[in-house]
């Protein structure tokens, strides 16, 4: 089958979903009010609460939620064949992710920018809120620890990416000044930023930067991880307009350039999908497609981390409530388009089925490496780009997305720590909250791994925990809709499906961890399962209470 057909079907379906389904959700279910005064205005502080142009905010939201996950998940899941991965990405993006991200943003914006964890306290009870915050903290710990390891591995394996990756920070700082200090329109900073970024890619491709194997007793990976956490800590302390917003915005533009190149390579190269639609010759020990497909592909279909970003940083920057449709739902579309590109790269970027099978020798193989390798081949065959340059472009894309996720993830972890302190009657200031967040992540990174890659130790639980979080976020949104007397079916159906698949996957993993005598992951698995079931029970109790005429926050201007 031609990759062109897969590309066109996926893009057309997502476009129709945005044009029609998201409009229905915005007008009939969430009922956006263009006159509502968002927290970005009512609580404006110039640091976290800043009214933001919807295109810039889309860039922040999308690149914060993207990370490496929409690439890694599909790149692993195609081991079952491209058919199931493609169906879950397209269907999940339209009916699951868009409604979830959009809803979390809307609910938070109507609640003074509170995170979905804190919002759950008023809607489903104090116990549910406390357990919700535990799940949120663990997800953020996994993301920050694991993405630091992923980025360091790519910086070591692809030294041509070092200059553009770190140079992008300077580009973002300049763009932030141009937009906010000098009030320039978006056009010229955007064009200039993209041109400089891709110039840096060309320079980096000519001048690779490789650290020595050991520096002061630390491996090259360890040094990169230390630098990444220092950078992320500084970025999380700065006002969002200085670095976070412009960095995410320019990375969002870079995504469209990168996706444009990949899609053009598919159109001009007309590659065939060498991988089977349904793989009947699975490697030994490959787990069952149900439920593992639905937790392996999270970002790109639906992801609980998106709800944390939507209700953590994005809601505090929403200029108009009506912008939530574009930022939230179309942000999910961006994830879907990236995952679609990953599926094509990992199934059409190989010369033969045998070449593909040599990469996919076991479950968990593939990943970013397959994406970079396959995508580089597509760019070379379709557009004539040198394979090394194509690989550099895709590696930079993956690293920049993962880096922006770390920026936002650490800021979100600080918010969770401050909210937990508030519940305990303690006031945790921004600096202390950031230091605690970094300290916990560093303890995991270096306490569980000699080269700073300890974040990968608990990564096997990320997929299930992340999808459980998405289900719990949908539960909060469903409670809101029921209290308002609106139809909950559009969130309730994804909620039930996600909880069923995620709990099933947790039980499967529990057996695996027990047989492997991995007591750390087994203990965490049990804790997460108990917390999820408890929060779900509290949510069901809240749903059964039905409509609440006293619930005014989501209907009227406060």
């Amino acid at each position: 089958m031609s990759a062109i057909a897969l590309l066109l079907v996926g893009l057309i379906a997502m476009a129709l979903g945005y044009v029609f389904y998201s409009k229905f959700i915005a007008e009939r279910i969430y009922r956006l009010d263009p006159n509502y005064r968002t927290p970005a205005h009512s609580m404006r502080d110039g640091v976290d609460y800043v009214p933001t142009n919807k295109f810039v905010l889309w860039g922040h939201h999308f690149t914060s939620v993207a990370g490496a996950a929409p690439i890694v998940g599909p790149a692993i899941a195609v081991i079952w064949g491209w058919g199931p991965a493609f169906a879950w990405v397209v269907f999940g993006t339209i009916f699951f992710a868009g409604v979830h991200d959009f809803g979390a943003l809307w609910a938070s914006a109507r609640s003074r920018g509170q995170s979905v964890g804190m919002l759950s306290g008023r809607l489903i009870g104090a116990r549910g809120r406390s357990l919700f915050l535990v799940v949120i903290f663990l997800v953020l710990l996994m993301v920050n620890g694991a993405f630091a390891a992923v980025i360091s591995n790519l910086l070591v394996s692809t030294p041509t990416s070092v200059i553009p990756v770190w140079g992008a920070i300077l580009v973002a700082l300049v763009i932030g000044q141009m937009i906010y200090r000098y009030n320039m329109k978006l056009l010229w900073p955007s064009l200039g930023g993209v041109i400089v970024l891709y110039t840096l890619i060309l320079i980096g491709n000519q001048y690779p930067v490789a650290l020595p194997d050991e520096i002061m007793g630390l491996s090259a990976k360890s040094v990169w991880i230390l630098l990444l956490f220092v950078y992320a800590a500084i970025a999380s302390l700065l006002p969002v307009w200085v670095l976070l917003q412009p960095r995410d915005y320019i990375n969002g533009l870079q995504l469209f350039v990168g996706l444009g190149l990949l899609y053009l390579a598919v159109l001009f190269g007309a590659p065939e999908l060498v991988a089977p639609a349904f793989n009947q010759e699975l490697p030994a020990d490959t787990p069952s497609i149900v439920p593992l497909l639905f937790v392996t592909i999270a970002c790109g279909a639906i992801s609980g981390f998106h709800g944390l970003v939507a209700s953590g940083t994005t809601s505090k920057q929403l200029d108009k409530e009506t912008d939530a449709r574009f930022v939230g739902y179309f942000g999910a579309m961006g994830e879907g388009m990236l995952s679609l590109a990953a599926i094509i790269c990992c199934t059409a970027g190989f010369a033969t089925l045998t070449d593909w099978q040599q990469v996919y020798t076991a479950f968990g193989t593939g990943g970013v490496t397959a994406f970079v390798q396959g995508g580089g081949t597509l760019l070379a065959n379709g557009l004539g780009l040198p394979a090394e340059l194509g690989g550099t472009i895709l590696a930079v894309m993956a690293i920049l997305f993962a880096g922006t996720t770390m920026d936002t993830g650490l800021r979100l972890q600080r918010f969770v720590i401050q909210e937990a302190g508030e519940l305990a009657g303690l006031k945790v200031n921004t600096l202390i909250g950031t230091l605690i967040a970094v300290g916990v992540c560093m303890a995991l990174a270096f306490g569980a791994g000699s080269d700073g890659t300890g974040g990968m130790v608990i990564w096997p639980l990320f997929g299930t925990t992340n999808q459980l979080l998405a289900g719990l976020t949908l539960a909060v949104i469903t409670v809101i809709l029921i209290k308002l007397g609106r139809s909950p079916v559009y969130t309730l159906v994804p909620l039930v499906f996600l909880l069923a698949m995620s709990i099933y996957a947790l039980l499967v993993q529990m057996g695996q961890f027990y047989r492997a005598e991995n007591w750390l992951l087994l203990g965490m698995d049990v804790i997460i399962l108990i917390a999820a079931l408890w929060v779900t029970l509290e949510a069901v109790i809240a749903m059964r209470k039905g409509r609440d005429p006293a619930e005014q926050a989501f209907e009227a201007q406060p």
Side-chain angles (χ1 to χ4, degrees):
M1 178 178 173
S2 172
I4 294 177
L6 197 67
L7 174 65
L8 293 178
V9 169
L11 291 180
I12 291 171
M14 291 182 197
L16 292 173
Y18 179 74
V19 171
F20 296 106
Y21 192 61
S22 74
K23 182 179 181 182
F24 168 78
I25 296 296
E27 294 179 353
R28 301 290 298 276
I29 306 302
Y30 297 150
R31 301 181 189 177
L32 303 186
D33 180 1
N35 298 315
Y36 182 82
R37 192 163 182 250
T38 63
H41 292 280
S42 63
M43 302 175 66
R44 184 170 185 166
D45 62 5
V47 178
D48 296 317
Y49 293 83
V50 178
T52 304
N53 178 285
K54 70 176 183 179
F55 297 104
V56 175
L57 186 56
W58 180 89
H60 156 71
H61 179 76
F62 166 69
T63 55
S64 293
V65 300
I71 296 171
V72 174
I76 292 174
V78 293
I79 196 168
W80 289 299
W82 58 260
F86 174 78
W88 175 229
V89 164
V90 174
F91 187 87
T93 295
I94 296 170
F95 297 105
F96 285 56
V99 175
H100 169 274
D101 295 17
F102 185 4
L105 177 54
W106 164 73
S108 178
R110 284 275 172 162
S111 305
R112 302 175 68 251
Q114 286 185 324
S115 73
V116 69
M118 288 296 286
L119 186 58
S120 66
R122 179 166 62 83
L123 295 165
I124 64 177
R127 288 190 302 269
R129 175 186 58 199
S130 299
L131 293 167
F132 211 132
L133 289 176
V134 169
V135 177
I136 290 172
F137 186 84
L138 288 174
V139 167
L140 291 172
L141 184 61
M142 293 174 192
V143 168
N144 291 331
F147 277 23
V150 169
I151 296 171
S152 69
N153 287 336
L154 283 170
L155 289 173
V156 170
S157 65
T158 316
T160 53
S161 66
V162 173
I163 287 178
V165 164
W166 292 99
I169 297 172
L170 296 177
V171 173
L173 288 170
V174 172
I175 289 176
Q177 296 297 314
M178 293 169 71
I179 294 175
Y180 286 98
R181 190 174 294 277
Y182 298 104
N183 297 317
M184 294 183 66
K185 300 295 184 182
L186 283 177
L187 177 61
W188 295 113
S190 301
L191 290 175
V194 170
I195 291 171
V196 172
L197 181 57
Y198 275 85
T199 300
L200 289 172
I201 289 175
L202 293 174
I203 294 173
N205 198 57
Q206 293 297 316
Y207 301 98
V209 177
L211 295 181
D213 292 338
E214 187 173 305
I215 300 175
M216 299 177 64
L218 296 174
S219 67
K221 288 182 181 179
S222 298
V223 172
W224 282 129
I225 287 174
L226 283 172
L227 291 174
L228 285 167
F229 275 117
V230 169
Y231 158 75
I234 294 172
S236 70
L237 289 169
L238 292 173
V240 290
W241 65 268
V242 173
L243 180 57
L244 189 69
Q245 281 183 2
R247 175 172 160 83
D248 292 352
Y249 174 65
I250 199 66
N251 286 348
L253 294 178
Q254 185 248 356
L255 161 80
F256 279 111
V257 174
L259 283 181
L261 291 174
L262 282 174
Y263 290 165
L264 285 174
V266 171
L267 293 174
F268 288 122
E272 293 292 316
L273 299 168
V274 299
F278 297 92
N279 190 7
Q280 302 298 325
E281 299 180 9
L282 293 169
D285 299 326
T286 301
S288 171
I289 190 172
V290 177
L292 268 297
L293 171 69
F294 304 103
V295 298
T296 300
I297 300 181
C299 297
I302 182 172
S303 165
F305 181 71
H306 294 199
L308 300 186
V309 176
S311 66
T313 56
T314 307
S315 63
K316 297 175 177 62
Q317 303 169 60
L318 192 67
D319 183 30
K320 299 177 181 177
E321 188 174 72
T322 47
D323 291 347
R325 177 190 173 203
F326 178 79
V327 175
Y329 197 99
F330 192 64
M333 293 290 104
E335 286 264 282
M337 290 188 288
L338 180 55
S339 288
L340 177 60
I343 291 171
I344 293 174
C345 286
C346 296
T347 55
F350 296 88
T352 65
L353 174 60
T354 301
D355 292 333
W356 181 81
Q357 289 173 331
Q358 287 176 348
V359 173
Y360 285 88
T361 56
F363 182 74
T365 53
V368 174
T369 302
F371 171 74
V372 172
Q373 178 184 340
T377 301
L378 290 179
L379 291 174
N381 294 339
L383 300 180
L385 291 179
E388 184 181 12
L389 177 59
T392 299
I393 291 173
L394 296 180
V396 169
M397 180 189 296
I399 293 172
L400 289 181
F401 287 157
T404 53
T405 300
M406 274 192 70
D407 293 358
T408 303
L410 202 61
R411 189 179 290 255
L412 290 172
Q413 203 162 12
R414 185 246 296 174
F415 289 161
V416 171
I417 290 169
Q418 288 178 306
E419 289 175 344
E422 181 181 331
L423 293 177
L426 301 173
K427 183 172 178 60
V428 180
N429 65 34
T430 299
L431 178 59
I432 297 299
T434 300
L435 291 176
I436 293 174
V438 172
V440 173
C441 291
M442 294 281 281
L444 172 65
F446 289 94
S450 58
D451 59 354
T453 58
M456 301 305 295
V457 171
I458 61 175
W459 184 252
L461 277 171
F462 172 75
T464 48
T465 309
N466 187 46
Q467 298 302 68
L468 274 174
L469 181 58
L472 298 179
T473 300
L474 285 169
V476 171
I477 300 170
T478 302
V479 170
I480 293 171
L481 295 177
I482 290 174
K483 285 180 176 291
L484 295 175
R486 301 177 193 174
S487 174
V489 67
Y490 306 99
T491 56
L492 189 59
V493 171
L495 156 64
V496 172
F497 180 83
L498 273 182
L499 287 181
M501 290 298 107
S502 301
I503 291 172
Y504 184 8
L506 270 179
L507 293 173
V508 170
Q509 287 183 313
M510 193 179 296
Q512 295 172 345
F513 299 148
Y514 178 78
R515 289 189 292 272
E517 298 185 355
N518 191 329
W519 309 123
L520 171 63
L521 291 184
L522 178 61
M524 291 184 65
D525 194 316
V526 172
I527 291 171
I528 292 166
L529 179 60
I530 293 173
L533 291 174
W534 198 331
V535 175
T536 301
L537 178 61
E538 298 275 0
V540 170
I541 293 172
M543 291 178 198
R544 287 176 60 86
K545 294 179 180 178
R547 182 168 187 173
D548 183 2
E551 186 59 70
Q552 298 294 322
F554 300 93
E555 287 192 309
Q557 178 77 23

